[in-house]
Amino acid sequence: MQITATSLALTVDDVRASATFLTEHFGFAEAMSADGFVSLGRAGAPHVIFLRRGLDVLPEGFRDRHATGVILAFTVADLEREYRRLRDAGVAITLPLREEPWGERLFQVTDPNGVVVELLDWNASGDR
């Protein structure tokens, strides 16, 4: 098998709100859209697709589920700078900057639909 691209599809109530959050704060650009659907792309990242809950393109048992339990995690080069940038832009930090015992440093924000976005890097002295 040759995988040529990777996408994450998340079901949300307000597709436009989630798409705007990623385009304004994380540098994604709209690749395509239709009623209840937006596909976003960014160099070096998987495509992120937002689907409106209830669409009949989703399997019947999954149509009304929300993207809970999913974290979009992006490894970044300067975690502190991104923390300040997002905070200064008025984005609510829902999990403050912290370091885990295994060396992962991270913080989290949450989009208007409750989708958690985590930014992280690795402490060179931590275990991986």
Side-chain angles (χ1 to χ4, degrees):
M1 167 177 42
Q2 181 181 0
I3 297 174
T4 60
T6 302
S7 299
L8 304 167
L10 305 171
T11 52
V12 297
D13 290 320
D14 186 342
V15 168
R16 185 54 50 199
S18 285
T20 299
F21 188 77
L22 284 188
T23 57
E24 286 184 2
H25 300 296
F26 295 96
F28 280 80
E30 188 173 304
M32 64 181 81
S33 65
D35 183 38
F37 162 86
V38 173
S39 177
L40 304 173
R42 183 183 198 291
H47 278 256
V48 177
I49 298 167
F50 291 109
L51 300 168
R52 186 180 62 240
R53 288 187 334 146
L55 286 179
D56 62 2
V57 68
L58 299 167
E60 191 171 331
F62 294 90
R63 287 182 189 157
D64 291 317
R65 292 188 185 177
H66 186 273
T68 55
V70 174
I71 296 174
L72 290 178
F74 302 124
T75 303
V76 298
D78 189 337
L79 190 63
E80 288 84 2
R81 182 181 72 211
E82 297 302 328
Y83 185 87
R84 287 188 306 272
R85 180 184 67 79
L86 290 167
R87 183 195 61 211
D88 293 349
V91 175
I93 307 296
T94 50
L95 181 67
L97 187 61
R98 62 190 275 173
E99 184 169 344
E100 300 295 348
W102 52 87
E104 180 183 20
R105 298 178 337 123
L106 63 102
F107 71 92
Q108 295 175 348
V109 299
T110 304
D111 90 346
N113 284 292
V115 176
V116 176
V117 180
E118 177 176 291
L119 279 75
L120 66 110
D121 71 3
W122 292 94
N123 182 341
S125 65
D127 296 334
R128 291 188 186 194

